[in-house]
Amino acid sequence: MLGRKDLLAGLVVGLALVGGTAIAQTAPKGDHGPSPERRQAMMQRVCAEMPARLAGRLAYSEVKLGINDQQKSAWQTFTQEAKAAMQPMQQHCNERAATARPATPPDAATQLAQREKGLTAMLETTKGLRQAVEKLSPSLNDEQKKQLAEMVARIGHNQWARGMHGKHMMHRQGPDPAGNVSPPQPPAGQTR
């Protein structure tokens, strides 16, 4: 049976990825791929949809877990805290969406500063989600904890697997119009 730490880690990763995919960077594509204006419009849409995506994931989880009447209060507290925890990611996403991409790539220090901002937002969100999960966990039964850990593990595994296999890391992949991160493509001439 999965322990409390597995549950916490899985939920944090899964919920953080709701926002994490929204701040993903696209790899430079030269003359291929969407124009900078289209990329910015896509980013703005992804950021605007982030609260709805989180609400949908929380509603799905509530039904899937079978939250009962005795657990409703703890679940409502959890959803409020999860939404509050996502604010650093939402703010970072909105800032990135409002900033036009420069015509030339920024220098190394600027790129690292941008990455640091994203990672800091992810860390703040993760801390808030961990605290929310710690408060929720005592109200769940063992089967619900197991179910929640499985759901989050699937979400986290699918997102990380798409971003970490192949030559590109997840932060190099761009969201599609629906906010999903596309799997990396093998270099030209290679197959999977």
PDB file of all heavy atoms in Angstrom, residues 59-96:
ATOM      1  N   ALA A  59     -12.902  18.776  -9.189  1.00  0.00           N
ATOM      2  CA  ALA A  59     -14.251  18.196  -9.232  1.00  0.00           C
ATOM      3  C   ALA A  59     -14.188  16.722  -9.612  1.00  0.00           C
ATOM      4  O   ALA A  59     -14.870  15.884  -9.014  1.00  0.00           O
ATOM      5  CB  ALA A  59     -15.129  18.969 -10.216  1.00  0.00           C
ATOM      6  N   TYR A  60     -13.378  16.397 -10.596  1.00  0.00           N
ATOM      7  CA  TYR A  60     -13.196  14.999 -11.002  1.00  0.00           C
ATOM      8  C   TYR A  60     -12.672  14.179  -9.827  1.00  0.00           C
ATOM      9  O   TYR A  60     -13.183  13.089  -9.542  1.00  0.00           O
ATOM     10  CB  TYR A  60     -12.225  14.923 -12.180  1.00  0.00           C
ATOM     11  CG  TYR A  60     -11.819  13.511 -12.528  1.00  0.00           C
ATOM     12  CD1 TYR A  60     -12.617  12.734 -13.349  1.00  0.00           C
ATOM     13  CD2 TYR A  60     -10.647  12.954 -12.029  1.00  0.00           C
ATOM     14  CE1 TYR A  60     -12.263  11.434 -13.668  1.00  0.00           C
ATOM     15  CE2 TYR A  60     -10.286  11.653 -12.334  1.00  0.00           C
ATOM     16  CZ  TYR A  60     -11.090  10.897 -13.157  1.00  0.00           C
ATOM     17  OH  TYR A  60     -10.739   9.612 -13.453  1.00  0.00           O
ATOM     18  N   SER A  61     -11.670  14.698  -9.148  1.00  0.00           N
ATOM     19  CA  SER A  61     -11.081  13.969  -8.023  1.00  0.00           C
ATOM     20  C   SER A  61     -12.083  13.739  -6.908  1.00  0.00           C
ATOM     21  O   SER A  61     -12.107  12.666  -6.303  1.00  0.00           O
ATOM     22  CB  SER A  61      -9.868  14.735  -7.479  1.00  0.00           C
ATOM     23  OG  SER A  61      -8.867  14.853  -8.464  1.00  0.00           O
ATOM     24  N   GLU A  62     -12.920  14.734  -6.636  1.00  0.00           N
ATOM     25  CA  GLU A  62     -13.924  14.587  -5.580  1.00  0.00           C
ATOM     26  C   GLU A  62     -14.870  13.423  -5.889  1.00  0.00           C
ATOM     27  O   GLU A  62     -15.174  12.594  -5.025  1.00  0.00           O
ATOM     28  CB  GLU A  62     -14.718  15.879  -5.415  1.00  0.00           C
ATOM     29  CG  GLU A  62     -15.780  15.800  -4.336  1.00  0.00           C
ATOM     30  CD  GLU A  62     -16.562  17.091  -4.173  1.00  0.00           C
ATOM     31  OE1 GLU A  62     -16.368  18.037  -4.963  1.00  0.00           O
ATOM     32  OE2 GLU A  62     -17.396  17.134  -3.252  1.00  0.00           O
ATOM     33  N   VAL A  63     -15.340  13.352  -7.127  1.00  0.00           N
ATOM     34  CA  VAL A  63     -16.253  12.283  -7.522  1.00  0.00           C
ATOM     35  C   VAL A  63     -15.520  10.942  -7.554  1.00  0.00           C
ATOM     36  O   VAL A  63     -16.009   9.944  -7.043  1.00  0.00           O
ATOM     37  CB  VAL A  63     -16.910  12.602  -8.883  1.00  0.00           C
ATOM     38  CG1 VAL A  63     -17.711  11.415  -9.394  1.00  0.00           C
ATOM     39  CG2 VAL A  63     -17.785  13.838  -8.769  1.00  0.00           C
ATOM     40  N   LYS A  64     -14.358  10.926  -8.157  1.00  0.00           N
ATOM     41  CA  LYS A  64     -13.586   9.688  -8.286  1.00  0.00           C
ATOM     42  C   LYS A  64     -13.237   9.108  -6.921  1.00  0.00           C
ATOM     43  O   LYS A  64     -13.277   7.891  -6.732  1.00  0.00           O
ATOM     44  CB  LYS A  64     -12.315   9.961  -9.095  1.00  0.00           C
ATOM     45  CG  LYS A  64     -11.482   8.759  -9.385  1.00  0.00           C
ATOM     46  CD  LYS A  64     -12.056   7.975 -10.520  1.00  0.00           C
ATOM     47  CE  LYS A  64     -11.090   6.871 -10.927  1.00  0.00           C
ATOM     48  NZ  LYS A  64     -11.676   5.952 -11.850  1.00  0.00           N
ATOM     49  N   LEU A  65     -12.900   9.963  -5.971  1.00  0.00           N
ATOM     50  CA  LEU A  65     -12.548   9.502  -4.626  1.00  0.00           C
ATOM     51  C   LEU A  65     -13.776   9.123  -3.807  1.00  0.00           C
ATOM     52  O   LEU A  65     -13.645   8.434  -2.810  1.00  0.00           O
ATOM     53  CB  LEU A  65     -11.766  10.583  -3.884  1.00  0.00           C
ATOM     54  CG  LEU A  65     -10.379  10.882  -4.415  1.00  0.00           C
ATOM     55  CD1 LEU A  65      -9.793  12.083  -3.703  1.00  0.00           C
ATOM     56  CD2 LEU A  65      -9.479   9.677  -4.271  1.00  0.00           C
ATOM     57  N   GLY A  66     -14.930   9.593  -4.207  1.00  0.00           N
ATOM     58  CA  GLY A  66     -16.139   9.293  -3.444  1.00  0.00           C
ATOM     59  C   GLY A  66     -16.157  10.027  -2.110  1.00  0.00           C
ATOM     60  O   GLY A  66     -16.452   9.444  -1.066  1.00  0.00           O
ATOM     61  N   ILE A  67     -15.845  11.316  -2.146  1.00  0.00           N
ATOM     62  CA  ILE A  67     -15.848  12.116  -0.920  1.00  0.00           C
ATOM     63  C   ILE A  67     -17.252  12.075  -0.335  1.00  0.00           C
ATOM     64  O   ILE A  67     -18.231  12.404  -1.003  1.00  0.00           O
ATOM     65  CB  ILE A  67     -15.406  13.567  -1.215  1.00  0.00           C
ATOM     66  CG1 ILE A  67     -13.980  13.607  -1.762  1.00  0.00           C
ATOM     67  CG2 ILE A  67     -15.544  14.446   0.020  1.00  0.00           C
ATOM     68  CD1 ILE A  67     -12.901  13.106  -0.830  1.00  0.00           C
ATOM     69  N   ASN A  68     -17.348  11.642   0.923  1.00  0.00           N
ATOM     70  CA  ASN A  68     -18.660  11.494   1.564  1.00  0.00           C
ATOM     71  C   ASN A  68     -19.016  12.744   2.379  1.00  0.00           C
ATOM     72  O   ASN A  68     -18.223  13.674   2.469  1.00  0.00           O
ATOM     73  CB  ASN A  68     -18.706  10.217   2.417  1.00  0.00           C
ATOM     74  CG  ASN A  68     -17.688  10.240   3.541  1.00  0.00           C
ATOM     75  OD1 ASN A  68     -17.473  11.262   4.189  1.00  0.00           O
ATOM     76  ND2 ASN A  68     -17.055   9.099   3.788  1.00  0.00           N
ATOM     77  N   ASP A  69     -20.207  12.734   2.947  1.00  0.00           N
ATOM     78  CA  ASP A  69     -20.697  13.904   3.680  1.00  0.00           C
ATOM     79  C   ASP A  69     -19.784  14.287   4.840  1.00  0.00           C
ATOM     80  O   ASP A  69     -19.605  15.471   5.119  1.00  0.00           O
ATOM     81  CB  ASP A  69     -22.119  13.658   4.191  1.00  0.00           C
ATOM     82  CG  ASP A  69     -23.148  13.639   3.064  1.00  0.00           C
ATOM     83  OD1 ASP A  69     -22.840  14.181   1.977  1.00  0.00           O
ATOM     84  OD2 ASP A  69     -24.243  13.070   3.263  1.00  0.00           O
ATOM     85  N   GLN A  70     -19.219  13.303   5.525  1.00  0.00           N
ATOM     86  CA  GLN A  70     -18.335  13.587   6.658  1.00  0.00           C
ATOM     87  C   GLN A  70     -17.013  14.211   6.190  1.00  0.00           C
ATOM     88  O   GLN A  70     -16.344  14.885   6.968  1.00  0.00           O
ATOM     89  CB  GLN A  70     -18.030  12.308   7.465  1.00  0.00           C
ATOM     90  CG  GLN A  70     -19.219  11.716   8.196  1.00  0.00           C
ATOM     91  CD  GLN A  70     -20.113  10.877   7.271  1.00  0.00           C
ATOM     92  OE1 GLN A  70     -19.701  10.442   6.201  1.00  0.00           O
ATOM     93  NE2 GLN A  70     -21.361  10.686   7.683  1.00  0.00           N
ATOM     94  N   GLN A  71     -16.646  14.008   4.948  1.00  0.00           N
ATOM     95  CA  GLN A  71     -15.381  14.516   4.419  1.00  0.00           C
ATOM     96  C   GLN A  71     -15.544  15.831   3.651  1.00  0.00           C
ATOM     97  O   GLN A  71     -14.544  16.441   3.273  1.00  0.00           O
ATOM     98  CB  GLN A  71     -14.754  13.469   3.483  1.00  0.00           C
ATOM     99  CG  GLN A  71     -14.409  12.177   4.183  1.00  0.00           C
ATOM    100  CD  GLN A  71     -14.070  11.077   3.187  1.00  0.00           C
ATOM    101  OE1 GLN A  71     -14.688  10.966   2.121  1.00  0.00           O
ATOM    102  NE2 GLN A  71     -13.094  10.254   3.540  1.00  0.00           N
ATOM    103  N   LYS A  72     -16.774  16.256   3.445  1.00  0.00           N
ATOM    104  CA  LYS A  72     -17.036  17.443   2.614  1.00  0.00           C
ATOM    105  C   LYS A  72     -16.319  18.692   3.135  1.00  0.00           C
ATOM    106  O   LYS A  72     -15.742  19.450   2.360  1.00  0.00           O
ATOM    107  CB  LYS A  72     -18.540  17.745   2.539  1.00  0.00           C
ATOM    108  CG  LYS A  72     -19.313  16.820   1.647  1.00  0.00           C
ATOM    109  CD  LYS A  72     -19.164  17.211   0.202  1.00  0.00           C
ATOM    110  CE  LYS A  72     -20.108  16.347  -0.623  1.00  0.00           C
ATOM    111  NZ  LYS A  72     -19.787  16.372  -2.019  1.00  0.00           N
ATOM    112  N   SER A  73     -16.355  18.916   4.422  1.00  0.00           N
ATOM    113  CA  SER A  73     -15.724  20.106   4.985  1.00  0.00           C
ATOM    114  C   SER A  73     -14.217  20.086   4.742  1.00  0.00           C
ATOM    115  O   SER A  73     -13.636  21.097   4.318  1.00  0.00           O
ATOM    116  CB  SER A  73     -16.016  20.195   6.482  1.00  0.00           C
ATOM    117  OG  SER A  73     -15.355  21.305   7.038  1.00  0.00           O
ATOM    118  N   ALA A  74     -13.577  18.961   4.999  1.00  0.00           N
ATOM    119  CA  ALA A  74     -12.130  18.848   4.762  1.00  0.00           C
ATOM    120  C   ALA A  74     -11.816  19.009   3.284  1.00  0.00           C
ATOM    121  O   ALA A  74     -10.820  19.644   2.920  1.00  0.00           O
ATOM    122  CB  ALA A  74     -11.611  17.504   5.274  1.00  0.00           C
ATOM    123  N   TRP A  75     -12.681  18.453   2.413  1.00  0.00           N
ATOM    124  CA  TRP A  75     -12.447  18.569   0.971  1.00  0.00           C
ATOM    125  C   TRP A  75     -12.601  20.022   0.516  1.00  0.00           C
ATOM    126  O   TRP A  75     -11.810  20.510  -0.284  1.00  0.00           O
ATOM    127  CB  TRP A  75     -13.399  17.666   0.189  1.00  0.00           C
ATOM    128  CG  TRP A  75     -13.124  17.725  -1.275  1.00  0.00           C
ATOM    129  CD1 TRP A  75     -13.809  18.438  -2.218  1.00  0.00           C
ATOM    130  CD2 TRP A  75     -12.046  17.094  -1.967  1.00  0.00           C
ATOM    131  NE1 TRP A  75     -13.231  18.277  -3.454  1.00  0.00           N
ATOM    132  CE2 TRP A  75     -12.140  17.446  -3.324  1.00  0.00           C
ATOM    133  CE3 TRP A  75     -11.019  16.247  -1.569  1.00  0.00           C
ATOM    134  CZ2 TRP A  75     -11.242  16.996  -4.290  1.00  0.00           C
ATOM    135  CZ3 TRP A  75     -10.124  15.796  -2.531  1.00  0.00           C
ATOM    136  CH2 TRP A  75     -10.241  16.171  -3.868  1.00  0.00           C
ATOM    137  N   GLN A  76     -13.613  20.721   1.031  1.00  0.00           N
ATOM    138  CA  GLN A  76     -13.796  22.126   0.658  1.00  0.00           C
ATOM    139  C   GLN A  76     -12.608  22.977   1.098  1.00  0.00           C
ATOM    140  O   GLN A  76     -12.147  23.848   0.356  1.00  0.00           O
ATOM    141  CB  GLN A  76     -15.105  22.662   1.244  1.00  0.00           C
ATOM    142  CG  GLN A  76     -16.324  22.088   0.555  1.00  0.00           C
ATOM    143  CD  GLN A  76     -17.621  22.443   1.250  1.00  0.00           C
ATOM    144  OE1 GLN A  76     -17.630  22.915   2.388  1.00  0.00           O
ATOM    145  NE2 GLN A  76     -18.740  22.211   0.556  1.00  0.00           N
ATOM    146  N   THR A  77     -12.110  22.705   2.294  1.00  0.00           N
ATOM    147  CA  THR A  77     -10.913  23.409   2.769  1.00  0.00           C
ATOM    148  C   THR A  77      -9.736  23.107   1.852  1.00  0.00           C
ATOM    149  O   THR A  77      -8.979  24.002   1.464  1.00  0.00           O
ATOM    150  CB  THR A  77     -10.585  23.004   4.214  1.00  0.00           C
ATOM    151  OG1 THR A  77     -11.693  23.358   5.051  1.00  0.00           O
ATOM    152  CG2 THR A  77      -9.324  23.677   4.714  1.00  0.00           C
ATOM    153  N   PHE A  78      -9.590  21.840   1.483  1.00  0.00           N
ATOM    154  CA  PHE A  78      -8.504  21.446   0.589  1.00  0.00           C
ATOM    155  C   PHE A  78      -8.601  22.165  -0.755  1.00  0.00           C
ATOM    156  O   PHE A  78      -7.602  22.687  -1.260  1.00  0.00           O
ATOM    157  CB  PHE A  78      -8.513  19.930   0.363  1.00  0.00           C
ATOM    158  CG  PHE A  78      -7.576  19.507  -0.729  1.00  0.00           C
ATOM    159  CD1 PHE A  78      -6.212  19.494  -0.516  1.00  0.00           C
ATOM    160  CD2 PHE A  78      -8.063  19.138  -1.973  1.00  0.00           C
ATOM    161  CE1 PHE A  78      -5.337  19.129  -1.528  1.00  0.00           C
ATOM    162  CE2 PHE A  78      -7.204  18.767  -2.985  1.00  0.00           C
ATOM    163  CZ  PHE A  78      -5.835  18.767  -2.768  1.00  0.00           C
ATOM    164  N   THR A  79      -9.796  22.223  -1.342  1.00  0.00           N
ATOM    165  CA  THR A  79      -9.925  22.869  -2.649  1.00  0.00           C
ATOM    166  C   THR A  79      -9.593  24.358  -2.565  1.00  0.00           C
ATOM    167  O   THR A  79      -8.940  24.898  -3.463  1.00  0.00           O
ATOM    168  CB  THR A  79     -11.324  22.659  -3.273  1.00  0.00           C
ATOM    169  OG1 THR A  79     -12.319  23.216  -2.427  1.00  0.00           O
ATOM    170  CG2 THR A  79     -11.607  21.199  -3.526  1.00  0.00           C
ATOM    171  N   GLN A  80     -10.016  25.012  -1.486  1.00  0.00           N
ATOM    172  CA  GLN A  80      -9.681  26.430  -1.315  1.00  0.00           C
ATOM    173  C   GLN A  80      -8.170  26.616  -1.188  1.00  0.00           C
ATOM    174  O   GLN A  80      -7.592  27.521  -1.789  1.00  0.00           O
ATOM    175  CB  GLN A  80     -10.384  27.002  -0.080  1.00  0.00           C
ATOM    176  CG  GLN A  80     -11.881  27.111  -0.236  1.00  0.00           C
ATOM    177  CD  GLN A  80     -12.582  27.433   1.077  1.00  0.00           C
ATOM    178  OE1 GLN A  80     -11.982  27.412   2.150  1.00  0.00           O
ATOM    179  NE2 GLN A  80     -13.869  27.734   0.985  1.00  0.00           N
ATOM    180  N   GLU A  81      -7.535  25.745  -0.406  1.00  0.00           N
ATOM    181  CA  GLU A  81      -6.091  25.857  -0.213  1.00  0.00           C
ATOM    182  C   GLU A  81      -5.325  25.482  -1.484  1.00  0.00           C
ATOM    183  O   GLU A  81      -4.287  26.081  -1.775  1.00  0.00           O
ATOM    184  CB  GLU A  81      -5.651  24.994   0.970  1.00  0.00           C
ATOM    185  CG  GLU A  81      -6.151  25.546   2.294  1.00  0.00           C
ATOM    186  CD  GLU A  81      -5.829  24.666   3.484  1.00  0.00           C
ATOM    187  OE1 GLU A  81      -5.230  23.576   3.310  1.00  0.00           O
ATOM    188  OE2 GLU A  81      -6.165  25.074   4.606  1.00  0.00           O
ATOM    189  N   ALA A  82      -5.836  24.516  -2.245  1.00  0.00           N
ATOM    190  CA  ALA A  82      -5.183  24.141  -3.503  1.00  0.00           C
ATOM    191  C   ALA A  82      -5.262  25.299  -4.492  1.00  0.00           C
ATOM    192  O   ALA A  82      -4.283  25.608  -5.182  1.00  0.00           O
ATOM    193  CB  ALA A  82      -5.830  22.887  -4.091  1.00  0.00           C
ATOM    194  N   LYS A  83      -6.405  25.955  -4.562  1.00  0.00           N
ATOM    195  CA  LYS A  83      -6.547  27.115  -5.453  1.00  0.00           C
ATOM    196  C   LYS A  83      -5.616  28.245  -5.019  1.00  0.00           C
ATOM    197  O   LYS A  83      -4.982  28.888  -5.860  1.00  0.00           O
ATOM    198  CB  LYS A  83      -8.002  27.587  -5.484  1.00  0.00           C
ATOM    199  CG  LYS A  83      -8.917  26.628  -6.213  1.00  0.00           C
ATOM    200  CD  LYS A  83     -10.368  27.048  -6.103  1.00  0.00           C
ATOM    201  CE  LYS A  83     -11.285  26.010  -6.748  1.00  0.00           C
ATOM    202  NZ  LYS A  83     -12.706  26.358  -6.576  1.00  0.00           N
ATOM    203  N   ALA A  84      -5.528  28.480  -3.720  1.00  0.00           N
ATOM    204  CA  ALA A  84      -4.620  29.521  -3.217  1.00  0.00           C
ATOM    205  C   ALA A  84      -3.167  29.152  -3.501  1.00  0.00           C
ATOM    206  O   ALA A  84      -2.356  30.015  -3.857  1.00  0.00           O
ATOM    207  CB  ALA A  84      -4.832  29.728  -1.717  1.00  0.00           C
ATOM    208  N   ALA A  85      -2.846  27.877  -3.371  1.00  0.00           N
ATOM    209  CA  ALA A  85      -1.478  27.417  -3.620  1.00  0.00           C
ATOM    210  C   ALA A  85      -1.075  27.606  -5.075  1.00  0.00           C
ATOM    211  O   ALA A  85       0.110  27.773  -5.380  1.00  0.00           O
ATOM    212  CB  ALA A  85      -1.328  25.949  -3.215  1.00  0.00           C
ATOM    213  N   MET A  86      -2.029  27.583  -5.986  1.00  0.00           N
ATOM    214  CA  MET A  86      -1.728  27.738  -7.411  1.00  0.00           C
ATOM    215  C   MET A  86      -1.459  29.190  -7.804  1.00  0.00           C
ATOM    216  O   MET A  86      -1.009  29.456  -8.922  1.00  0.00           O
ATOM    217  CB  MET A  86      -2.887  27.191  -8.259  1.00  0.00           C
ATOM    218  CG  MET A  86      -3.019  25.683  -8.238  1.00  0.00           C
ATOM    219  SD  MET A  86      -1.555  24.809  -8.801  1.00  0.00           S
ATOM    220  CE  MET A  86      -1.460  25.371 -10.494  1.00  0.00           C
ATOM    221  N   GLN A  87      -1.677  30.132  -6.916  1.00  0.00           N
ATOM    222  CA  GLN A  87      -1.511  31.546  -7.265  1.00  0.00           C
ATOM    223  C   GLN A  87      -0.109  31.905  -7.745  1.00  0.00           C
ATOM    224  O   GLN A  87       0.019  32.662  -8.712  1.00  0.00           O
ATOM    225  CB  GLN A  87      -1.948  32.442  -6.100  1.00  0.00           C
ATOM    226  CG  GLN A  87      -3.452  32.452  -5.889  1.00  0.00           C
ATOM    227  CD  GLN A  87      -4.202  32.759  -7.171  1.00  0.00           C
ATOM    228  OE1 GLN A  87      -3.979  33.784  -7.820  1.00  0.00           O
ATOM    229  NE2 GLN A  87      -5.089  31.861  -7.575  1.00  0.00           N
ATOM    230  N   PRO A  88       0.975  31.414  -7.129  1.00  0.00           N
ATOM    231  CA  PRO A  88       2.296  31.750  -7.683  1.00  0.00           C
ATOM    232  C   PRO A  88       2.464  31.271  -9.128  1.00  0.00           C
ATOM    233  O   PRO A  88       3.024  31.987  -9.964  1.00  0.00           O
ATOM    234  CB  PRO A  88       3.275  31.029  -6.748  1.00  0.00           C
ATOM    235  CG  PRO A  88       2.532  30.886  -5.464  1.00  0.00           C
ATOM    236  CD  PRO A  88       1.094  30.682  -5.864  1.00  0.00           C
ATOM    237  N   MET A  89       1.953  30.084  -9.437  1.00  0.00           N
ATOM    238  CA  MET A  89       2.042  29.576 -10.808  1.00  0.00           C
ATOM    239  C   MET A  89       1.168  30.414 -11.738  1.00  0.00           C
ATOM    240  O   MET A  89       1.572  30.733 -12.850  1.00  0.00           O
ATOM    241  CB  MET A  89       1.607  28.112 -10.872  1.00  0.00           C
ATOM    242  CG  MET A  89       2.564  27.156 -10.204  1.00  0.00           C
ATOM    243  SD  MET A  89       4.167  27.082 -11.004  1.00  0.00           S
ATOM    244  CE  MET A  89       3.710  26.346 -12.551  1.00  0.00           C
ATOM    245  N   GLN A  90      -0.020  30.773 -11.285  1.00  0.00           N
ATOM    246  CA  GLN A  90      -0.922  31.588 -12.106  1.00  0.00           C
ATOM    247  C   GLN A  90      -0.298  32.944 -12.387  1.00  0.00           C
ATOM    248  O   GLN A  90      -0.309  33.420 -13.518  1.00  0.00           O
ATOM    249  CB  GLN A  90      -2.264  31.762 -11.394  1.00  0.00           C
ATOM    250  CG  GLN A  90      -3.272  32.587 -12.180  1.00  0.00           C
ATOM    251  CD  GLN A  90      -3.847  31.842 -13.366  1.00  0.00           C
ATOM    252  OE1 GLN A  90      -4.455  30.805 -13.183  1.00  0.00           O
ATOM    253  NE2 GLN A  90      -3.650  32.363 -14.566  1.00  0.00           N
ATOM    254  N   GLN A  91       0.272  33.563 -11.368  1.00  0.00           N
ATOM    255  CA  GLN A  91       0.897  34.872 -11.540  1.00  0.00           C
ATOM    256  C   GLN A  91       2.073  34.788 -12.516  1.00  0.00           C
ATOM    257  O   GLN A  91       2.201  35.617 -13.413  1.00  0.00           O
ATOM    258  CB  GLN A  91       1.364  35.414 -10.196  1.00  0.00           C
ATOM    259  CG  GLN A  91       2.001  36.774 -10.287  1.00  0.00           C
ATOM    260  CD  GLN A  91       2.445  37.302  -8.925  1.00  0.00           C
ATOM    261  OE1 GLN A  91       2.123  36.745  -7.886  1.00  0.00           O
ATOM    262  NE2 GLN A  91       3.190  38.392  -8.940  1.00  0.00           N
ATOM    263  N   HIS A  92       2.905  33.774 -12.354  1.00  0.00           N
ATOM    264  CA  HIS A  92       4.044  33.614 -13.253  1.00  0.00           C
ATOM    265  C   HIS A  92       3.568  33.371 -14.690  1.00  0.00           C
ATOM    266  O   HIS A  92       4.113  33.944 -15.640  1.00  0.00           O
ATOM    267  CB  HIS A  92       4.937  32.462 -12.785  1.00  0.00           C
ATOM    268  CG  HIS A  92       6.128  32.250 -13.658  1.00  0.00           C
ATOM    269  ND1 HIS A  92       7.156  33.156 -13.751  1.00  0.00           N
ATOM    270  CD2 HIS A  92       6.446  31.243 -14.503  1.00  0.00           C
ATOM    271  CE1 HIS A  92       8.058  32.718 -14.605  1.00  0.00           C
ATOM    272  NE2 HIS A  92       7.652  31.558 -15.080  1.00  0.00           N
ATOM    273  N   CYS A  93       2.569  32.546 -14.843  1.00  0.00           N
ATOM    274  CA  CYS A  93       2.015  32.267 -16.171  1.00  0.00           C
ATOM    275  C   CYS A  93       1.496  33.551 -16.806  1.00  0.00           C
ATOM    276  O   CYS A  93       1.790  33.848 -17.962  1.00  0.00           O
ATOM    277  CB  CYS A  93       0.899  31.229 -16.045  1.00  0.00           C
ATOM    278  SG  CYS A  93       0.230  30.665 -17.620  1.00  0.00           S
ATOM    279  N   ASN A  94       0.745  34.326 -16.047  1.00  0.00           N
ATOM    280  CA  ASN A  94       0.189  35.579 -16.573  1.00  0.00           C
ATOM    281  C   ASN A  94       1.293  36.558 -16.972  1.00  0.00           C
ATOM    282  O   ASN A  94       1.194  37.229 -17.995  1.00  0.00           O
ATOM    283  CB  ASN A  94      -0.743  36.227 -15.554  1.00  0.00           C
ATOM    284  CG  ASN A  94      -2.023  35.438 -15.358  1.00  0.00           C
ATOM    285  OD1 ASN A  94      -2.415  34.616 -16.185  1.00  0.00           O
ATOM    286  ND2 ASN A  94      -2.666  35.659 -14.226  1.00  0.00           N
ATOM    287  N   GLU A  95       2.349  36.629 -16.158  1.00  0.00           N
ATOM    288  CA  GLU A  95       3.465  37.518 -16.481  1.00  0.00           C
ATOM    289  C   GLU A  95       4.140  37.089 -17.778  1.00  0.00           C
ATOM    290  O   GLU A  95       4.451  37.918 -18.627  1.00  0.00           O
ATOM    291  CB  GLU A  95       4.480  37.541 -15.335  1.00  0.00           C
ATOM    292  CG  GLU A  95       3.993  38.291 -14.110  1.00  0.00           C
ATOM    293  CD  GLU A  95       4.903  38.121 -12.906  1.00  0.00           C
ATOM    294  OE1 GLU A  95       5.982  37.484 -13.013  1.00  0.00           O
ATOM    295  OE2 GLU A  95       4.531  38.628 -11.823  1.00  0.00           O
ATOM    296  N   ARG A  96       4.348  35.790 -17.934  1.00  0.00           N
ATOM    297  CA  ARG A  96       4.982  35.281 -19.160  1.00  0.00           C
ATOM    298  C   ARG A  96       4.088  35.512 -20.367  1.00  0.00           C
ATOM    299  O   ARG A  96       4.561  35.853 -21.440  1.00  0.00           O
ATOM    300  CB  ARG A  96       5.316  33.804 -19.025  1.00  0.00           C
ATOM    301  CG  ARG A  96       6.539  33.571 -18.176  1.00  0.00           C
ATOM    302  CD  ARG A  96       7.065  32.164 -18.272  1.00  0.00           C
ATOM    303  NE  ARG A  96       6.970  31.567 -19.568  1.00  0.00           N
ATOM    304  CZ  ARG A  96       7.947  31.543 -20.482  1.00  0.00           C
ATOM    305  NH1 ARG A  96       9.093  32.108 -20.211  1.00  0.00           N
ATOM    306  NH2 ARG A  96       7.774  30.948 -21.633  1.00  0.00           N
TER     307      ARG A  96
END
